[in-house]
Amino acid sequence: MNKKIILTTLVFVLLISIMIFASCNSLKDLGKQDPQIGEKEVTVFIGNDEYNVKTNANYLHELLIELSTKGEIVYEYSDGPYGASISKVNGLETSLTWNPYISIYHSIDDISLKDMSGYMDNITRNDTTFYPSGVGVESIPILSGEKYLLVEISY
């Protein structure tokens, strides 16, 4: 009798898990916020370079592709099961040895978008506080008036 209850519970949990993951387009979409629709004005810092941009892009990844397509930046990435992974943006480059890597910060004061692990500190630049991103480049929403910072980090 006890085995029957355990087996039934496991099957139920498995079915619920399958339904949750099936409802997402992929793992990279879990927790992704709805975008702000329409034209937005944002500032993107890549290393020490500053780009003031008007865009209809919904997420940072789309904006970086847009800037790359226009020839304003160099942007290289690879797709994986959890979304895009930045390999190069302008002079910043990720190494296969994990040192250095490209880290994304943003000025969006939203706990669901911040890295709350405690391993990375906020960065202040030009009186703006940048929070380490807790989500990938494809999940960082472009919001009018916000700022985005990509830097090379070594540890």
Side-chain angles (χ1 to χ4, degrees), residues 10-52:
L10 287 174
V11 168
F12 180 73
V13 169
L14 179 63
L15 288 174
I16 295 296
S17 298
I18 289 170
M19 289 182 348
I20 289 171
F21 285 113
S23 68
C24 293
N25 188 16
S26 67
L27 291 175
K28 66 185 177 185
D29 291 333
L30 287 173
K32 192 172 187 178
Q33 291 191 352
D34 290 333
Q36 182 182 52
I37 305 301
E39 187 174 79
K40 296 154 287 256
E41 291 187 42
V42 299
T43 303
V44 179
F45 295 94
I46 301 173
N48 292 321
D49 299 331
E50 180 177 341
Y51 301 87
N52 294 301

Side-chain angles (χ1 to χ4, degrees), residues 51-91:
Y51 301 87
N52 294 301
V53 182
K54 287 184 180 180
T55 184
N56 286 312
N58 294 319
Y59 298 97
L60 184 58
H61 181 60
E62 294 170 13
L63 176 57
L64 294 173
I65 290 172
E66 179 183 311
L67 291 173
S68 177
T69 302
K70 291 178 180 177
E72 295 182 35
I73 66 168
V74 173
Y75 180 56
E76 297 174 11
Y77 63 93
S78 59
D79 279 318
Y82 300 105
S85 176
I86 301 173
S87 50
K88 184 176 188 176
V89 60
N90 282 1

Side-chain angles (χ1 to χ4, degrees), residues 92-134:
L92 311 179
E93 196 163 356
T94 297
S95 170
L96 293 176
T97 61
W98 293 49
N99 195 7
Y101 67 96
I102 298 169
S103 186
I104 305 170
Y105 291 76
H106 52 75
S107 62
I108 306 168
D109 192 4
D110 181 339
I111 195 166
S112 69
L113 297 172
K114 296 179 188 178
D115 178 353
M116 302 303 289
S117 68
Y119 291 112
M120 300 175 69
D121 294 325
N122 297 340
I123 293 176
T124 301
R125 182 184 281 191
N126 300 336
D127 296 324
T128 300
T129 300
F130 290 92
Y131 307 100
S133 181

